[in-house]
Amino acid sequence: MKIAFVGKGGSGKTTLSSLFIRHLAANEAHVIAVDADINQHLGAALGLDDEEAAALPAMGAQLPLIKEYLRGSNPRITSTETMIKTTPPGEGSRLLRVCEDNPVYDACARTVGLDDGDIRLMVTGPFTESDLGVACYHSKVGAVELCLNHLVDGPDEYMVVDMTAGSDSFASGMFTRFDMTFLVAEPTRKGVSVYRQYKEYAQDFGVALKVVGNKVQGEDDLEFLRAEVGDDLLVTIGHSDWVRAMEKGRPARFELLEADNRMALQALQNAAEDSYEQRDWERYTRQMVHFHLKNAESWGNEKTGADLAAQVDPGFVLDERYARAGAAQPA
């Protein structure tokens, strides 16, 4: 399952992402966590100290390796230089699986031990001083999009992505790569403004979207969210002494998280599983191709000097048949 957490800056989406990841680990799920936010805080929320978080390898810096591995023997991709963030897989491409070892994970992922099991963590890398004025953050997030495009996943396998704040994910087709998008919203006008924008952009693409109300302190807050987002409100999260201790760097064992918040996290997992069971693999592949062709026409062809539409394998559908194969060749 591919899960995104989005929301405005300060809404608590990184905290909620980390709680959900801990919950999945406690339920013995296999998890790859990805920090794709320009402000890189997921590692700290999962218990890493400053030195450990700073030592995490940046996916953006490993983009040539990622492209070379995913390209495989796909004859439609003539070189890694012609691969862009939206390049879709085809016959011969190498695919990623949550439960495997491969050069991409070796270079980009690090194991993080949680109370109830280990997860893999990958980060896009921070926006550095050398990037100022010459690059945009989407160039780093492109590594995540390539991995999502080439990931085949099954039940009890999760890639959980803490997305960049606001509606920046609409700068590419990455917002269509998820089985479920959890939008974290505070009970304020600003808190729900990102929801309205996301809902408007996503409605034509069949994006599964649920709202997680955060920092909800009473019935008035709850009624406000219900009035603003309607049936999209899935659960609410209130005050948590466990989270406050975690933010101070002194978390208790995860099993001591408040019972109502544990129940809310289980509701998120149930919603994700229901959405995954309804995944339309043909539409999923079709949307991937749609955004690749748009990016190719808009800037990709000019940048690479190639006709990137030729990378599309018209007979290829990424589906569960590939889950047991080492490359894009049906098992």
Side-chain angles (χ1 to χ4, degrees), residues 8-49:
K8 80 172 185 66
S11 64
K13 66 179 182 60
T14 296
T15 298
L16 265 294
S17 299
S18 71
L19 291 178
F20 186 60
I21 291 163
R22 291 175 185 269
H23 168 80
L24 293 175
N27 283 357
E28 301 182 345
H30 303 282
V31 183
I32 295 176
V34 181
D35 191 345
D37 195 352
I38 192 170
N39 298 306
Q40 303 265 283
H41 297 309
L42 184 58
L46 291 171
L48 300 186
D49 61 30

Side-chain angles (χ1 to χ4, degrees), residues 91-145:
E91 294 298 331
S93 297
R94 289 194 183 98
L95 303 177
L96 301 174
R97 289 155 194 84
V98 172
C99 300
E100 70 172 3
D101 295 318
N102 58 55
V104 173
Y105 297 161
D106 290 343
C108 301
R110 294 296 180 263
T111 299
V112 176
L114 303 176
D115 290 343
D116 300 294
D118 296 342
I119 60 99
R120 279 171 165 155
L121 173 62
M122 300 197 295
V123 302
T124 55
F127 202 65
T128 64
E129 186 175 345
S130 63
D131 295 321
L132 295 177
V134 297
C136 71
Y137 197 66
H138 301 124
S139 63
K140 299 179 184 292
V141 177
V144 182
E145 186 165 359

